[in-house]
Every structure is written in structure tokens, then in C-alpha cells.
Coordinates of all heavy atoms in Angstrom, one line a residue:
M1 N 175.3 149.4 75.1 CA 174.9 148.5 76.1 C 176.1 148.1 77.0 O 177.1 147.7 76.6 CB 174.3 147.2 75.5 CG 172.8 147.1 75.5 SD 172.0 147.1 77.1 CE 171.7 145.4 77.3
L2 N 175.8 148.2 78.3 CA 176.9 147.8 79.2 C 176.8 146.3 79.4 O 175.8 145.7 79.6 CB 176.5 148.5 80.6 CG 177.7 148.8 81.5 CD1 178.6 149.8 81.0 CD2 177.2 149.2 82.9
N3 N 178.0 145.7 79.2 CA 178.1 144.3 79.4 C 178.2 144.0 80.9 O 179.3 144.2 81.5 CB 179.2 143.7 78.6 CG 179.3 142.2 78.6 OD1 178.6 141.6 79.4 ND2 180.1 141.6 77.8
I4 N 177.2 143.4 81.5 CA 177.3 143.2 83.0 C 178.2 142.1 83.4 O 178.5 141.9 84.5 CB 175.9 143.0 83.6 CG1 175.1 141.9 82.9 CG2 175.0 144.3 83.6 CD1 174.0 141.3 83.7
E5 N 178.6 141.3 82.4 CA 179.6 140.2 82.7 C 181.0 140.7 83.0 O 181.8 140.0 83.6 CB 179.5 139.1 81.7 CG 178.3 138.3 81.7 CD 178.2 137.3 80.6 OE1 179.2 137.0 80.0 OE2 177.0 137.0 80.3
K6 N 181.3 141.9 82.5 CA 182.6 142.5 82.7 C 182.5 143.6 83.7 O 181.8 144.6 83.5 CB 183.1 143.1 81.4 CG 183.6 142.1 80.4 CD 184.2 142.9 79.2 CE 184.5 141.9 78.1 NZ 184.7 142.6 76.8
P7 N 183.1 143.4 84.8 CA 183.1 144.5 85.9 C 183.7 145.8 85.4 O 184.8 145.8 84.9 CB 183.9 143.9 87.0 CG 184.1 142.5 86.7 CD 184.0 142.4 85.2
I8 N 182.9 146.8 85.5 CA 183.3 148.2 85.0 C 183.6 149.0 86.2 O 182.8 149.1 87.1 CB 182.3 148.8 84.1 CG1 181.9 147.9 83.0 CG2 182.7 150.2 83.7 CD1 182.9 147.7 81.9
R9 N 184.8 149.7 86.2 CA 185.2 150.6 87.3 C 185.6 151.9 86.7 O 186.0 152.0 85.6 CB 186.3 150.0 88.1 CG 185.9 148.7 88.8 CD 184.9 148.9 89.9 NE 184.6 147.7 90.7 CZ 183.6 146.9 90.3 NH1 182.8 147.2 89.3 NH2 183.4 145.8 91.0
M10 N 185.6 152.9 87.6 CA 185.9 154.3 87.1 C 187.3 154.7 87.5 O 187.7 154.4 88.7 CB 184.9 155.3 87.7 CG 185.0 156.7 87.1 SD 183.7 157.8 87.8 CE 184.4 158.0 89.4
C11 N 188.0 155.3 86.6 CA 189.4 155.8 86.9 C 189.2 157.0 87.8 O 188.4 157.9 87.5 CB 190.1 156.1 85.6 SG 191.6 157.1 85.8
I12 N 190.0 157.1 88.8 CA 189.9 158.3 89.7 C 190.4 159.6 89.1 O 190.0 160.6 89.6 CB 190.7 158.1 91.1 CG1 192.2 157.8 90.8 CG2 190.1 157.0 91.9 CD1 193.1 158.1 91.9
S13 N 191.2 159.5 88.1 CA 191.7 160.7 87.5 C 190.9 161.2 86.3 O 190.4 162.4 86.4 CB 193.1 160.4 87.0 OG 193.7 161.5 86.4
C14 N 190.6 160.5 85.3 CA 189.9 161.0 84.1 C 188.4 160.7 84.3 O 187.6 161.2 83.6 CB 190.4 160.4 82.8 SG 190.2 158.6 82.7
R15 N 188.0 159.9 85.3 CA 186.6 159.5 85.6 C 185.9 158.7 84.5 O 184.7 158.7 84.4 CB 185.8 160.7 86.0 CG 186.5 161.5 87.2 CD 185.7 162.6 87.7 NE 184.5 162.2 88.5 CZ 184.6 161.9 89.7 NH1 185.7 161.9 90.4 NH2 183.5 161.5 90.4
E16 N 186.7 158.2 83.6 CA 186.1 157.3 82.5 C 186.0 155.9 83.1 O 186.7 155.6 84.0 CB 187.0 157.3 81.3 CG 187.2 158.7 80.7 CD 187.1 158.7 79.2 OE1 186.5 157.7 78.6 OE2 187.6 159.6 78.6
R17 N 185.1 155.2 82.4 CA 184.9 153.8 82.9 C 185.6 152.8 82.0 O 185.6 152.9 80.8 CB 183.4 153.6 83.0 CG 182.8 154.3 84.2 CD 181.3 154.4 84.1 NE 180.8 155.5 84.9 CZ 180.6 155.3 86.2 NH1 180.8 154.2 86.8 NH2 180.2 156.3 87.0
F18 N 186.2 151.8 82.7 CA 186.9 150.8 82.0 C 186.6 149.4 82.6 O 186.2 149.3 83.7 CB 188.4 151.0 82.1 CG 188.9 152.3 81.6 CD1 188.9 153.5 82.4 CD2 189.3 152.4 80.2 CE1 189.3 154.7 81.8 CE2 189.7 153.6 79.7 CZ 189.7 154.8 80.5
S19 N 186.9 148.4 81.8 CA 186.9 147.0 82.3 C 187.9 146.9 83.4 O 189.0 147.5 83.3 CB 187.2 146.1 81.2 OG 187.3 144.8 81.7
K20 N 187.6 146.3 84.5 CA 188.5 146.1 85.7 C 189.9 145.7 85.3 O 190.8 146.1 85.9 CB 187.8 145.1 86.6 CG 187.7 145.6 88.0 CD 186.9 144.5 88.8 CE 187.5 144.3 90.2 NZ 186.7 143.3 91.0
R21 N 190.0 144.8 84.3 CA 191.3 144.3 84.1 C 192.2 145.3 83.4 O 193.4 145.0 83.2 CB 191.2 143.0 83.2 CG 190.6 143.1 81.9 CD 190.3 141.8 81.2 NE 189.4 142.0 80.1 CZ 189.9 142.3 78.9 NH1 191.2 142.4 78.7 NH2 189.0 142.4 77.9
N22 N 191.7 146.4 82.9 CA 192.5 147.4 82.3 C 192.8 148.5 83.2 O 193.3 149.6 82.8 CB 191.8 148.0 81.1 CG 191.6 147.0 80.0 OD1 192.5 146.1 79.8 ND2 190.5 147.0 79.3
L23 N 192.6 148.3 84.5 CA 192.8 149.3 85.5 C 193.8 148.8 86.5 O 193.8 147.7 86.9 CB 191.5 149.7 86.2 CG 190.5 150.4 85.3 CD1 189.1 150.1 85.9 CD2 190.7 151.9 85.2
L24 N 194.6 149.8 87.0 CA 195.6 149.5 88.1 C 194.8 149.8 89.4 O 194.2 150.9 89.6 CB 196.8 150.4 88.0 CG 197.7 150.5 89.2 CD1 198.3 149.1 89.5 CD2 198.8 151.5 88.9
R25 N 194.7 148.8 90.2 CA 194.0 148.9 91.5 C 194.9 149.1 92.6 O 195.8 148.3 92.9 CB 193.1 147.7 91.7 CG 192.1 147.9 92.9 CD 191.3 146.7 93.0 NE 190.1 147.0 93.9 CZ 189.2 146.1 94.2 NH1 189.2 144.9 93.8 NH2 188.2 146.4 95.0
L26 N 194.8 150.2 93.3 CA 195.7 150.6 94.4 C 195.0 150.9 95.7 O 193.8 151.0 95.7 CB 196.5 151.9 94.0 CG 197.4 151.8 92.8 CD1 197.9 153.2 92.4 CD2 198.6 150.9 93.0
Q27 N 195.8 150.9 96.7 CA 195.3 151.3 98.0 C 196.3 152.1 98.7 O 197.5 152.1 98.4 CB 194.8 150.1 98.8 CG 196.0 149.2 99.2 CD 195.5 148.0 100.0 OE1 194.3 148.0 100.5 NE2 196.3 147.0 100.1
C28 N 195.9 152.9 99.7 CA 196.8 153.8 100.4 C 196.6 153.5 101.9 O 195.6 153.6 102.4 CB 196.3 155.2 100.1 SG 197.5 156.4 100.7
I29 N 197.7 153.0 102.5 CA 197.7 152.7 103.9 C 198.9 153.4 104.6 O 200.0 153.2 104.2 CB 197.8 151.2 104.1 CG1 196.6 150.5 103.5 CG2 197.9 150.8 105.6 CD1 196.7 148.9 103.5
D30 N 198.6 154.2 105.6 CA 199.6 154.9 106.3 C 200.6 155.6 105.4 O 201.8 155.5 105.6 CB 200.3 154.0 107.3 CG 199.4 153.4 108.3 OD1 198.4 154.1 108.7 OD2 199.7 152.3 108.8
K31 N 200.0 156.4 104.5 CA 200.8 157.2 103.5 C 201.7 156.3 102.6 O 202.7 156.8 102.1 CB 201.6 158.2 104.3 CG 200.7 159.2 105.0 CD 201.5 160.3 105.6 CE 200.5 161.3 106.3 NZ 201.1 162.4 106.9
K32 N 201.3 155.1 102.5 CA 202.0 154.2 101.5 C 201.1 153.8 100.5 O 200.0 153.3 100.8 CB 202.6 153.0 102.2 CG 203.8 153.3 103.1 CD 205.1 153.1 102.3 CE 206.3 153.5 103.2 NZ 206.5 154.9 103.3
L33 N 201.5 153.9 99.2 CA 200.7 153.5 98.1 C 201.1 152.0 97.8 O 202.3 151.7 97.7 CB 201.1 154.4 96.9 CG 200.0 154.8 95.9 CD1 198.8 155.4 96.6 CD2 200.6 155.8 95.0
M34 N 200.1 151.2 97.6 CA 200.4 149.8 97.2 C 199.4 149.2 96.3 O 198.3 149.7 96.2 CB 200.7 149.0 98.5 CG 199.6 149.0 99.5 SD 200.2 148.3 101.1 CE 200.8 149.7 101.9
I35 N 199.8 148.1 95.7 CA 198.9 147.3 94.9 C 197.8 146.7 95.9 O 198.2 146.2 96.9 CB 199.6 146.2 94.2 CG1 200.7 146.7 93.3 CG2 198.6 145.3 93.4 CD1 200.4 147.3 91.9
Y36 N 196.6 146.8 95.5 CA 195.5 146.4 96.3 C 195.7 144.9 96.7 O 195.9 144.1 95.8 CB 194.2 146.6 95.6 CG 192.9 146.2 96.4 CD1 192.7 146.9 97.6 CD2 192.1 145.3 96.0 CE1 191.6 146.6 98.4 CE2 190.9 145.0 96.7 CZ 190.7 145.6 97.9 OH 189.6 145.3 98.7
D37 N 195.6 144.6 98.0 CA 195.8 143.2 98.4 C 194.5 142.5 98.8 O 194.5 141.4 99.4 CB 196.8 143.1 99.5 CG 196.3 143.7 100.8 OD1 195.1 144.3 100.8 OD2 197.0 143.7 101.8
G38 N 193.4 143.2 98.5 CA 192.1 142.5 98.8 C 191.4 142.9 100.0 O 190.3 142.5 100.3
I39 N 192.1 143.8 100.8 CA 191.5 144.2 102.1 C 191.3 145.7 102.1 O 192.3 146.4 101.8 CB 192.3 143.7 103.3 CG1 192.4 142.2 103.3 CG2 191.7 144.2 104.6 CD1 193.6 141.7 104.1
G40 N 190.2 146.2 102.5 CA 190.0 147.6 102.7 C 189.6 148.4 101.4 O 189.1 147.8 100.4
R41 N 189.9 149.7 101.5 CA 189.5 150.6 100.4 C 190.5 150.6 99.3 O 191.6 150.5 99.5 CB 189.4 152.0 101.1 CG 188.3 152.8 100.7 CD 188.3 154.1 101.5 NE 187.7 155.2 100.6 CZ 188.4 156.0 99.8 NH1 189.7 155.9 99.9 NH2 187.8 156.8 99.1
S42 N 190.0 150.8 98.1 CA 190.9 150.8 97.0 C 190.4 151.8 95.9 O 189.3 152.3 96.0 CB 191.0 149.4 96.3 OG 189.8 149.0 95.7
F43 N 191.2 152.1 95.0 CA 190.8 152.9 93.8 C 191.5 152.5 92.6 O 192.5 151.7 92.6 CB 191.1 154.4 94.2 CG 192.5 154.7 94.6 CD1 193.5 155.0 93.6 CD2 192.9 154.6 95.9 CE1 194.8 155.3 94.0 CE2 194.2 154.9 96.3 CZ 195.1 155.2 95.4
Y44 N 191.0 153.0 91.5 CA 191.5 152.5 90.2 C 192.1 153.6 89.3 O 191.6 154.7 89.4 CB 190.4 151.9 89.4 CG 189.7 150.7 90.0 CD1 188.7 150.8 90.9 CD2 190.2 149.4 89.6 CE1 188.1 149.7 91.5 CE2 189.6 148.3 90.2 CZ 188.6 148.4 91.1 OH 188.0 147.3 91.7
V45 N 193.1 153.3 88.6 CA 193.7 154.2 87.6 C 193.8 153.6 86.3 O 194.3 152.4 86.2 CB 195.1 154.7 88.1 CG1 195.7 155.7 87.1 CG2 195.1 155.3 89.5
C46 N 193.4 154.2 85.2 CA 193.4 153.6 83.9 C 194.8 153.7 83.3 O 195.7 154.4 83.8 CB 192.4 154.3 83.0 SG 192.9 155.9 82.4
E47 N 195.0 152.9 82.2 CA 196.3 152.9 81.6 C 196.9 154.2 81.1 O 198.0 154.6 81.3 CB 196.3 151.9 80.4 CG 196.4 150.5 80.9 CD 196.4 149.5 79.7 OE1 195.4 149.4 79.0 OE2 197.5 148.8 79.5
D48 N 196.0 155.0 80.5 CA 196.4 156.3 80.0 C 196.9 157.2 81.2 O 197.9 157.9 81.1 CB 195.2 157.0 79.3 CG 195.1 156.5 77.9 OD1 195.9 155.7 77.5 OD2 194.1 156.9 77.3
C49 N 196.1 157.2 82.3 CA 196.5 158.1 83.4 C 197.8 157.5 84.1 O 198.5 158.3 84.7 CB 195.3 158.1 84.4 SG 193.9 159.0 83.7
C50 N 198.0 156.3 84.0 CA 199.2 155.7 84.6 C 200.5 156.3 83.9 O 201.5 156.3 84.5 CB 199.3 154.2 84.4 SG 198.3 153.3 85.6
D51 N 200.3 156.7 82.7 CA 201.5 157.3 82.0 C 201.6 158.8 82.2 O 202.5 159.4 81.7 CB 201.3 157.1 80.5 CG 201.4 155.6 80.1 OD1 202.2 154.9 80.8 OD2 200.8 155.2 79.1
D52 N 200.7 159.3 83.1 CA 200.8 160.7 83.3 C 200.6 161.0 84.8 O 199.5 161.3 85.3 CB 199.6 161.4 82.5 CG 199.7 162.9 82.5 OD1 200.5 163.4 83.2 OD2 199.0 163.5 81.7
T53 N 201.7 160.9 85.5 CA 201.7 161.0 87.0 C 201.2 162.4 87.4 O 200.4 162.5 88.4 CB 203.1 160.8 87.5 OG1 203.6 159.6 87.1 CG2 203.1 160.8 89.1
K54 N 201.6 163.4 86.7 CA 201.1 164.8 87.0 C 199.6 164.9 87.0 O 199.1 165.6 87.9 CB 201.7 165.8 86.0 CG 203.0 166.4 86.4 CD 203.4 167.5 85.4 CE 204.8 167.8 85.6 NZ 205.3 168.6 84.4
R55 N 199.0 164.2 86.1 CA 197.6 164.3 85.9 C 196.9 163.5 87.1 O 195.8 164.0 87.6 CB 197.2 163.7 84.6 CG 195.8 163.9 84.2 CD 195.6 163.5 82.7 NE 194.6 162.6 82.5 CZ 194.4 161.9 81.3 NH1 195.3 162.1 80.3 NH2 193.4 161.1 81.2
V56 N 197.5 162.4 87.5 CA 196.8 161.5 88.4 C 197.1 161.9 89.9 O 196.3 161.5 90.8 CB 197.2 160.1 88.1 CG1 198.5 159.7 88.7 CG2 196.0 159.1 88.5
I57 N 198.2 162.6 90.1 CA 198.6 162.8 91.5 C 197.6 163.5 92.4 O 197.4 163.1 93.5 CB 200.0 163.5 91.5 CG1 200.7 163.2 92.8 CG2 200.0 164.9 91.1 CD1 201.2 161.8 93.1
N58 N 196.9 164.5 91.9 CA 195.9 165.2 92.7 C 194.8 164.3 93.1 O 194.2 164.4 94.2 CB 195.4 166.4 92.0 CG 196.4 167.6 92.1 OD1 197.0 167.8 93.1 ND2 196.7 168.2 91.0
S59 N 194.4 163.4 92.2 CA 193.4 162.4 92.5 C 193.9 161.4 93.6 O 193.1 161.0 94.4 CB 193.0 161.6 91.3 OG 192.5 162.5 90.3
I60 N 195.1 161.1 93.5 CA 195.7 160.2 94.5 C 195.7 160.9 95.9 O 195.3 160.3 96.9 CB 197.1 159.8 94.1 CG1 197.0 158.8 92.9 CG2 197.8 159.1 95.3 CD1 198.4 158.4 92.4
Y61 N 196.1 162.2 95.9 CA 196.0 162.9 97.2 C 194.6 162.9 97.8 O 194.5 162.8 99.0 CB 196.4 164.4 96.9 CG 197.9 164.6 96.5 CD1 198.2 165.8 95.8 CD2 198.9 163.8 97.0 CE1 199.6 166.0 95.4 CE2 200.2 164.0 96.6 CZ 200.5 165.1 95.9 OH 201.8 165.4 95.5
R62 N 193.7 163.1 96.9 CA 192.3 163.1 97.3 C 191.9 161.7 97.9 O 191.2 161.6 98.9 CB 191.4 163.5 96.2 CG 190.0 164.0 96.6 CD 189.4 164.8 95.5 NE 189.3 164.1 94.3 CZ 189.7 164.5 93.1 NH1 190.2 165.7 92.9 NH2 189.7 163.8 92.0
Q63 N 192.3 160.7 97.2 CA 191.9 159.3 97.7 C 192.6 159.0 99.0 O 192.0 158.4 99.9 CB 192.3 158.3 96.6 CG 191.6 158.3 95.3 CD 190.1 157.9 95.5 OE1 189.8 157.1 96.3 NE2 189.3 158.6 94.8
C64 N 193.8 159.4 99.1 CA 194.6 159.1 100.3 C 194.3 160.1 101.4 O 194.7 159.9 102.6 CB 196.1 159.1 100.0 SG 196.6 157.9 98.8
K65 N 193.7 161.2 101.1 CA 193.3 162.2 102.1 C 194.5 162.9 102.7 O 194.5 163.4 103.8 CB 192.4 161.7 103.1 CG 191.0 161.2 102.6 CD 190.1 160.8 103.7 CE 188.7 160.5 103.2 NZ 188.6 159.2 102.5
N66 N 195.6 162.9 102.0 CA 196.8 163.7 102.4 C 197.7 163.8 101.2 O 197.5 163.3 100.2 CB 197.5 163.0 103.6 CG 198.0 161.6 103.2 OD1 198.8 161.4 102.3 ND2 197.4 160.5 103.8
K67 N 198.7 164.7 101.4 CA 199.6 164.9 100.3 C 201.1 164.4 100.6 O 202.0 165.2 100.5 CB 199.7 166.4 100.0 CG 198.4 166.9 99.4 CD 198.5 168.3 98.7 CE 197.2 168.6 98.0 NZ 197.3 169.9 97.3
A68 N 201.1 163.2 101.0 CA 202.5 162.6 101.2 C 203.1 162.4 99.8 O 202.5 162.7 98.8 CB 202.3 161.2 101.8
D69 N 204.3 162.0 99.8 CA 205.1 161.9 98.5 C 204.7 160.7 97.7 O 205.4 159.6 97.8 CB 206.6 162.0 98.8 CG 207.4 162.1 97.5 OD1 206.8 162.4 96.5 OD2 208.6 161.9 97.5
Y70 N 203.7 160.8 97.0 CA 203.2 159.6 96.2 C 203.7 159.5 94.8 O 203.5 158.4 94.2 CB 201.6 159.6 96.2 CG 201.0 159.5 97.6 CD1 200.2 160.5 98.1 CD2 201.2 158.4 98.4 CE1 199.6 160.4 99.3 CE2 200.7 158.3 99.6 CZ 199.9 159.3 100.1 OH 199.3 159.2 101.3
K71 N 204.4 160.5 94.3 CA 204.7 160.5 92.9 C 205.6 159.3 92.6 O 205.4 158.6 91.6 CB 205.5 161.8 92.5 CG 204.5 162.9 92.2 CD 205.2 164.2 91.8 CE 204.2 165.3 91.9 NZ 204.8 166.6 91.8
E72 N 206.7 159.2 93.3 CA 207.7 158.1 93.0 C 207.0 156.7 93.3 O 207.2 155.7 92.6 CB 208.9 158.2 93.9 CG 209.8 159.4 93.4 CD 210.1 159.4 91.9 OE1 210.5 158.3 91.4 OE2 209.9 160.4 91.2
Q73 N 206.2 156.7 94.4 CA 205.5 155.4 94.7 C 204.6 155.0 93.6 O 204.5 153.9 93.3 CB 204.7 155.6 96.0 CG 205.5 155.8 97.3 CD 204.7 155.8 98.5 OE1 203.9 154.9 98.7 NE2 204.8 156.9 99.3
F74 N 203.9 156.0 93.1 CA 203.0 155.7 92.0 C 203.7 155.2 90.8 O 203.3 154.2 90.2 CB 202.2 156.9 91.7 CG 201.2 156.7 90.5 CD1 200.1 155.9 90.7 CD2 201.4 157.3 89.3 CE1 199.2 155.6 89.7 CE2 200.5 157.1 88.3 CZ 199.4 156.2 88.5
K75 N 204.8 155.8 90.4 CA 205.6 155.4 89.3 C 206.0 153.9 89.5 O 206.0 153.1 88.5 CB 206.8 156.3 89.1 CG 206.4 157.6 88.4 CD 207.6 158.5 88.2 CE 207.3 159.9 87.8 NZ 208.4 160.8 87.9
E76 N 206.4 153.6 90.7 CA 206.9 152.3 91.0 C 205.7 151.3 90.8 O 205.9 150.2 90.3 CB 207.4 152.3 92.4 CG 208.0 150.9 92.9 CD 209.2 150.4 92.1 OE1 209.8 151.1 91.3 OE2 209.5 149.2 92.3
M77 N 204.5 151.6 91.3 CA 203.4 150.8 91.2 C 203.1 150.5 89.7 O 202.8 149.4 89.3 CB 202.1 151.4 91.8 CG 202.2 151.5 93.3 SD 202.4 150.0 94.2 CE 204.0 150.2 94.9
V78 N 203.1 151.6 88.9 CA 202.9 151.4 87.5 C 203.9 150.5 86.8 O 203.5 149.6 86.0 CB 202.9 152.8 86.8 CG1 202.8 152.7 85.3 CG2 201.7 153.7 87.3
R79 N 205.2 150.7 87.2 CA 206.2 149.8 86.7 C 205.9 148.3 87.0 O 206.0 147.5 86.1 CB 207.6 150.3 87.2 CG 208.8 149.8 86.4 CD 210.1 150.1 87.1 NE 210.2 149.6 88.5 CZ 210.4 148.3 88.7 NH1 210.6 147.5 87.8 NH2 210.5 147.9 90.0
I80 N 205.6 148.1 88.3 CA 205.3 146.7 88.7 C 204.1 146.1 87.9 O 204.2 145.0 87.4 CB 205.0 146.6 90.2 CG1 206.3 147.0 91.0 CG2 204.5 145.3 90.6 CD1 206.0 147.3 92.5
W81 N 203.1 147.0 87.8 CA 201.9 146.6 87.1 C 202.1 146.2 85.6 O 201.7 145.2 85.1 CB 200.9 147.7 87.2 CG 199.5 147.4 86.7 CD1 198.7 146.3 87.0 CD2 198.8 148.1 85.7 NE1 197.6 146.3 86.3 CE2 197.5 147.4 85.5 CE3 199.0 149.3 85.1 CZ2 196.6 147.9 84.7 CZ3 198.0 149.8 84.2 CH2 196.8 149.1 84.0
K82 N 202.9 147.1 85.0 CA 203.2 146.9 83.5 C 204.1 145.7 83.2 O 204.1 145.2 82.1 CB 203.7 148.2 83.0 CG 202.6 149.2 82.9 CD 202.9 150.3 81.9 CE 201.6 151.2 81.8 NZ 201.8 152.3 80.9
T83 N 204.9 145.3 84.2 CA 205.8 144.2 83.9 C 205.2 142.9 84.2 O 205.7 141.8 83.9 CB 207.1 144.3 84.8 OG1 206.8 144.5 86.1 CG2 208.0 145.5 84.3
K84 N 203.9 142.9 84.7 CA 203.2 141.7 84.9 C 202.7 141.0 83.7 O 202.2 141.7 82.8 CB 202.1 141.9 85.9 CG 202.5 141.6 87.3 CD 201.4 141.8 88.3 CE 202.0 141.7 89.8 NZ 201.0 142.2 90.8
Ligands
ZN1 ZN1 192.1 157.6 83.6

């Protein structure tokens, strides 16, 4: 049974569903990856995929609709997220 009190979102990489609080929410603006600030389009990455940049990078390219250099940016986002 899906608990409707917990918002469930899908990871863009493994496409599994998780509670929102276990997902890193990002957005891509002008080829910059950043933590979602509440405005515009966003996407989610689960904790497992956060540890595997190679796996998630193609999904990020797809979300951002280009292939800018997101690898380092992504790692930085994960680092920020995990230290919170
Ligand atoms: Zn995932």
C-alpha cells in the first residue's frame, strides 16, 4: 500500500520510487546543475545513484537536454547534500 502522506518521487536514473526526503532534488539552469530552489523544473536522484555518477550522468544529460560537463557539478551537489 502506498502511503499517500509521504510524497513519493521517482529517481531519474534507476526509476525506482522513494520518499521525497531520501532523494536529492536538482535543477538545471543554463548548463548549471544546482540544488532545487523552488522555482521551475526539477528532478530527483536517489541515494544509491548519488554514489554512482557514471550511472546517473546520462539521465542528467537527458534532463538537462544537453551534454555539458555535469560530472563534477553533480559530485559537488551530492557532497553538499550529504553534509546537511
Ligand atoms: Zn536511483
Side-chain angles (χ1 to χ4, degrees):
M1 256 299 260
L2 207 69
N3 185 348
I4 55 161
E5 285 173 25
K6 283 185 191 163
I8 304 295
R9 296 290 181 270
M10 191 176 71
C11 168
I12 56 158
S13 181
C14 62
R15 304 183 76 80
E16 297 223 27
R17 285 163 200 278
F18 299 90
S19 171
K20 229 171 138 177
R21 63 190 167 85
N22 295 325
L23 293 156
L24 169 60
R25 190 176 194 181
L26 295 173
Q27 63 182 348
C28 188
I29 296 171
D30 296 333
K31 299 189 177 178
K32 288 267 178 286
L33 215 53
M34 53 192 92
I35 304 282
Y36 184 61
D37 68 359
I39 302 159
R41 223 174 146 266
S42 67
F43 54 91
Y44 298 88
V45 183
C46 75
E47 278 181 296
D48 282 353
C49 294
C50 280
D51 291 331
D52 192 347
T53 306
K54 269 188 194 163
R55 188 167 130 193
V56 82
I57 199 72
N58 282 315
S59 302
I60 291 174
Y61 291 153
R62 200 161 52 230
Q63 292 295 321
C64 297
K65 297 188 173 75
N66 60 64
K67 288 194 175 186
D69 187 15
Y70 295 119
K71 275 182 198 165
E72 290 308 313
Q73 290 186 55
F74 179 68
K75 284 180 190 168
E76 180 65 10
M77 291 303 114
V78 171
R79 199 186 57 76
I80 293 166
W81 185 53
K82 290 202 169 173
T83 51
K84 266 181 190 169

